[in-house]
Amino acid sequence: MVVVSSTFAVPAEGVLFQTPSTKLLVNDLELGTATLYITENNVIWGGGVNATGGAAPTISLLYPNISLHAIQREPIPALYMVLNYELRLPELTQQAGGDAQQNEQDDDEDFDADDHPITQLRFIPQNESDLNTMYSAMSEGQALHPDPADEVDDDDPYMDGEEFDDGDEEFEDAEESAAPDAAERLAALRLQHNGADCEDAEAGEE
């Protein structure tokens, strides 16, 4: 579940890591700057301002909705996530402006019943040095919420910390959930970002 709210409360317990002044990009559109809390039960971004200076919404993510998390170094250092959920926010629709209608038309033309909606998130900390700690906290949180449908495939090329370099974009320390097509999604996303130059990636299914 992904919860978007206009109210915010600081998590009372189970906080693994928190970092203030964290900028959030949703599908490459800036939502605002707020405090990121990585807890044992969820990931919360809230208590901040949006890109226009108003109050930013609070976003709460449950771990089963996070298909992948990784450290991205280029074009800007960030904690990168892929959600198996299409996150739609009024603030982003307004930012997109006149392109929104054209994008909807394109989506209709390219619609495939086998496609699953996803959302790309980039959490950009004030201090790049926080990225490794953010990643470790995410890994710890997701380990507390294993998917009961997980099945380990010894022949899976994305297991055991091997490098995952399929396209021009690479991610460091990538971890994927057990979503059946998570690897294919990431590969497709990378191919869409031709020209990006990220550091080596290590991928593994949780």
Side-chain angles (χ1 to χ4, degrees):
M1 175 183 289
V2 178
V3 177
V4 179
S5 172
S6 59
T7 61
F8 170 72
V10 175
E13 58 185 15
V15 177
L16 301 173
F17 185 73
Q18 68 182 68
T19 176
S21 303
T22 301
K23 184 181 296 185
L24 173 57
L25 303 184
V26 180
N27 292 333
D28 296 326
L29 294 177
E30 181 179 345
L31 182 58
T33 301
T35 300
L36 176 67
Y37 299 87
I38 301 173
T39 80
E40 294 177 349
N41 297 313
N42 54 9
V43 177
I44 301 171
W45 181 86
V49 297
N50 60 28
T52 60
T58 297
I59 297 178
S60 177
L61 313 171
L62 293 183
Y63 286 103
N65 288 114
I66 302 173
S67 297
L68 175 142
H69 70 274
I71 295 175
Q72 182 176 5
R73 298 293 183 182
E74 298 292 343
I76 187 169
L79 178 66
Y80 175 83
M81 296 184 197
V82 176
L83 305 182
N84 56 4
Y85 177 90
E86 186 175 10
L87 184 59
R88 296 187 177 185
L89 298 167
E91 293 87 347
L92 300 180
T93 302
Q94 294 169 5
Q95 250 190 88
D99 293 336
Q101 184 175 358
Q102 182 61 47
N103 289 339
E104 289 179 2
Q105 293 175 352
D106 292 343
D107 290 343
D108 290 339
E109 293 173 1
D110 298 336
F111 176 77
D112 186 334
D114 293 329
D115 287 344
H116 300 281
I118 63 170
T119 302
Q120 298 178 73
L121 303 179
R122 289 175 173 83
F123 294 96
I124 305 170
Q126 192 172 31
N127 299 312
E128 184 179 348
S129 58
D130 286 340
L131 280 175
N132 288 333
T133 309
M134 292 164 67
Y135 173 82
S136 297
M138 280 294 305
S139 299
E140 183 177 346
Q142 286 207 310
L144 296 173
H145 301 272
D147 189 330
D150 279 1
E151 292 183 4
V152 177
D153 184 353
D154 293 336
D155 297 327
D156 192 332
Y158 307 120
M159 293 290 290
D160 302 326
E162 294 183 14
E163 292 185 356
F164 182 25
D165 179 8
D166 189 359
D168 294 330
E169 188 166 14
E170 301 172 8
F171 291 85
E172 177 182 287
D173 297 328
E175 286 201 6
E176 297 176 42
S177 75
D181 56 347
E184 289 83 353
R185 292 181 189 174
L186 181 59
L189 291 172
R190 288 173 174 160
L191 292 174
Q192 291 172 5
H193 287 271
N194 289 332
D197 182 15
C198 299
E199 294 183 5
D200 291 342
E202 293 182 358
E205 272 191 50
E206 295 177 352

